[in-house]
Amino acid sequence: MEELITLAGLPNGKVVDTSLEVYVKYRKEEGDLLFDPFLYCQLVGSFNYLTITRPDISFIVQQVCQFMHAPRYLHLAAIHHIIRYLIGTPDMGLFFLANFSLKFIGYSDAVWAGCMDTRCSITGLCTFLGSALISWRCFLAELGYPQLEPTPLHVDNTSAIQVTANSVFHEWTKHIKVDRHSIRKAYDDRIISLPRHH
């Protein structure tokens, strides 16, 4: 962490409470291009490794990764903001209780056409092992633990749940046919379950 702070040139950086500025939308062509983008790429690469133990910065790291081909000063400011957040939260990380549950739970959310530049949709996923937030899904399988029951996947889209759980394929859903098949297969194979909330 100290090396990251030194690399960014922020040894006495002001501490902030959030990993990204609230209500700020970053765009590809806003502001002046960085004269030398190499430092930006170095810092983003370091963040990618850091998300393994700091999943709380995963979303904003995904955001700044989108600008690596042509970063601008506004994007570098976002990088500095992340570092100031990390300076203020040195003790944060993954915490596993001695007797924690080996049960997976997933939460997903999507923003339709959320990218300001391409109007592509943005999807996020949080995976918990017991009460601990982790950022990988095949961890237990690699350790030799079989999946004994479906992983609950909590989503906020009622239509997505209905399309996945309904074995009847309607004509009006054919535009999502390919993606729907992979999710439906995971549902049918009991890899995931879709808890319903009332």
Side-chain angles (χ1 to χ4, degrees), residues 88-101:
T89 57
D91 297 326
M92 286 190 70
L94 298 176
F95 178 70
F96 297 95
L97 296 170
N99 57 349
F100 72 98
S101 165

Side-chain angles (χ1 to χ4, degrees), residues 106-180:
Y107 297 86
S108 74
D109 191 17
V111 179
W112 177 258
C115 177
M116 299 295 290
D117 295 300
T118 64
R119 285 301 171 199
C120 289
S121 298
I122 300 172
T123 303
L125 175 70
C126 294
T127 307
F128 285 80
L129 180 58
S131 60
L133 175 63
I134 60 174
S135 57
W136 54 89
R137 295 198 62 186
C138 300
F139 184 57
L140 287 185
E142 291 175 5
L143 293 177
Y145 287 91
Q147 181 173 357
L148 301 177
E149 59 185 51
T151 300
L153 181 60
H154 299 271
V155 298
D156 67 347
N157 189 316
T158 304
S159 298
I161 294 172
Q162 290 173 346
V163 168
T164 301
N166 186 351
S167 60
V168 178
F169 195 77
H170 300 287
E171 180 67 18
W172 54 269
T173 60
K174 68 181 181 182
H175 64 288
I176 55 171
K177 185 174 182 180
V178 175
D179 289 340
R180 186 261 186 191

Side-chain angles (χ1 to χ4, degrees), residues 32-110:
D32 296 327
L33 286 167
L34 289 175
F35 178 72
D36 181 6
F38 181 70
L39 175 61
Y40 183 91
C41 295
Q42 273 188 301
L43 292 168
V44 172
S46 298
F47 287 150
N48 277 319
Y49 284 106
L50 198 54
T51 58
I52 295 172
T53 56
R54 291 293 302 263
D56 54 316
I57 64 169
S58 294
F59 176 77
I60 186 59
V61 170
Q62 174 267 334
Q63 294 280 297
V64 296
C65 279
Q66 296 179 44
F67 311 116
M68 288 183 67
H69 64 286
R72 296 171 185 264
Y73 284 97
L74 184 64
H75 307 143
L76 183 61
I79 293 282
H80 289 170
H81 192 93
I82 298 169
I83 293 172
R84 290 186 178 106
Y85 169 73
L86 293 171
I87 291 170
T89 57
D91 297 326
M92 286 190 70
L94 298 176
F95 178 70
F96 297 95
L97 296 170
N99 57 349
F100 72 98
S101 165
L102 292 179
K103 181 176 181 179
F104 271 122
I105 301 176
Y107 297 86
S108 74
D109 191 17

